[in-house]
Amino acid sequence: MAALKFRAGTCSGCRRLFPATSAVAQASIKNWLGGGLKDPHSRYVLAVDDTQSGDAAVVALAKWVTPGAGPKSAEAEEWAAQMDWPEDVDGALGAEFFTMLEKKHKEHMGTRPHWYLELLAVRKSHHGKGLGKHLLSWGLERADQDGVEAYLQASPAGVPLYRKYGFEDIETVTMSRADNYAEVFMKRQPRQSQGVSAS
């Protein structure tokens, strides 16, 4: 599984969890993405630059989780607690952050079927080209076809894009351990049309 090099943007906590200078931290992201290939509920959508090869060819990536998977708060909490974090990573913050994400997912969505955007990343060199919109639209069209909600958690930088496509804020959680970084939880009701346009 080709993976984008993690770009933390304005998330200082994310920079501590997955520093771009740490080969071990970057490898853990790639392993996590690859592990999702074994999950029948995971759907990866890629944007590829045909002029590049290998990992460099992947310029944007989204991971969607299909309805029926459901939040797995207990499993995620156990995973976060037992994770063997690299020495140059803030493991206590990692456990706190990922446990919080899963608990909020369960709290907000319960057992209702929904499409979950777990990850959306675009290489810095390809920002502003509409790639995030296309990868977002892929999942939203399916949510609309299924007549179910879509759910995600966003960094403050990503919130305007998601609001543009019909997501509404549910809750914002501020993490004092991550320099008061705010994670925004959002959901979107299904639309009756044929989905959002990918143009």
Side-chain angles (χ1 to χ4, degrees), residues 65-142:
V65 180
T66 68
K72 300 177 181 178
S73 181
E75 293 92 334
E77 188 172 349
E78 182 178 346
W79 168 83
Q82 296 179 358
M83 173 73 172
D84 186 17
W85 299 96
E87 289 184 3
D88 51 0
V89 167
D90 187 339
L93 175 60
E96 177 184 339
F97 181 72
F98 287 106
T99 298
M100 181 271 292
L101 292 185
E102 291 300 325
K103 284 184 174 180
K104 289 299 178 182
H105 187 179
K106 183 176 181 180
E107 178 183 318
H108 295 144
M109 302 307 293
T111 59
R112 299 195 308 277
H114 61 280
W115 280 80
Y116 171 37
L117 180 60
E118 189 170 350
L119 171 71
L120 177 62
V122 179
R123 285 194 189 276
K124 190 174 181 179
S125 59
H126 285 70
H127 284 183
K129 298 183 178 182
L131 297 177
K133 175 181 72 173
H134 285 282
L135 301 186
L136 179 62
S137 295
W138 185 93
L140 296 184
E141 288 171 357
R142 283 149 183 81

Side-chain angles (χ1 to χ4, degrees), residues 131-170:
L131 297 177
K133 175 181 72 173
H134 285 282
L135 301 186
L136 179 62
S137 295
W138 185 93
L140 296 184
E141 288 171 357
R142 283 149 183 81
D144 289 343
Q145 290 167 5
D146 291 345
V148 300
E149 296 166 294
Y151 175 81
L152 58 80
Q153 64 269 340
S155 67
V159 167
L161 171 67
Y162 300 130
R163 285 178 179 161
K164 181 179 177 181
Y165 281 88
F167 281 90
E168 297 179 349
D169 299 24
I170 306 171

Side-chain angles (χ1 to χ4, degrees), residues 32 36 42-44 61-65 116-120:
W32 169 71
S42 293
R43 300 290 183 270
Y44 288 95
L61 178 151
K63 180 184 179 185
W64 284 93
V65 180
Y116 171 37
L117 180 60
E118 189 170 350
L119 171 71
L120 177 62

